[in-house]
Amino acid sequence: EFRKAVSRFMEKVRGDKVTFDPDHIVMSGGATGAHETLAFCLADPGDAFLVPTPYYPGFDRDLRWRTGVQLFPVVCESSNNFKITKEALESAYEKAQESNIRIKGLLIN
């Protein structure tokens, strides 16, 4: 019932332009648990997620300790207000590939 209420709320927030399937909504008891669950589900130990810098230092604990997943930085510069650029993403991805690190996703917070 709660997931149905969340899906109705999200549809309303989006101006009733999209629909949300309650069966595709997963609830978590906080961001730490959600991050860890996603890491366990989407990646294997040694895989990595791209993470734009600067990032929340708690991600090192939330995403790495029990899962064995790595965080691979996407360097964002203060000169452009830390915007994520195509060049920065491509550079980080290429560096990961050169190091034989399999990227499983991009974490944007």
Side-chain angles (χ1 to χ4, degrees), residues 54-65:
Y55 65 85
Y56 169 58
F59 285 161
D60 292 315
R61 176 200 62 228
D62 297 352
L63 291 162
R64 295 178 56 214
W65 282 4

Side-chain angles (χ1 to χ4, degrees), residues 31-69:
T32 296
H35 288 139
E36 186 178 68
T37 298
L38 285 171
F40 273 123
C41 291
L42 297 176
D44 294 316
D47 291 344
F49 290 98
L50 294 175
V51 183
T53 62
Y55 65 85
Y56 169 58
F59 285 161
D60 292 315
R61 176 200 62 228
D62 297 352
L63 291 162
R64 295 178 56 214
W65 282 4
R66 294 187 339 140
T67 66
V69 171

Side-chain angles (χ1 to χ4, degrees), residues 50-52 72-76 83-98 101 103 106:
L50 294 175
V51 183
F72 204 90
V74 177
V75 178
C76 299
K83 291 184 177 147
I84 303 168
T85 64
K86 179 181 176 187
E87 294 77 20
L89 287 168
E90 289 174 345
S91 176
Y93 184 80
E94 289 169 8
K95 286 178 185 173
Q97 295 299 298
E98 290 168 6
I101 296 172
I103 299 297
L106 170 63

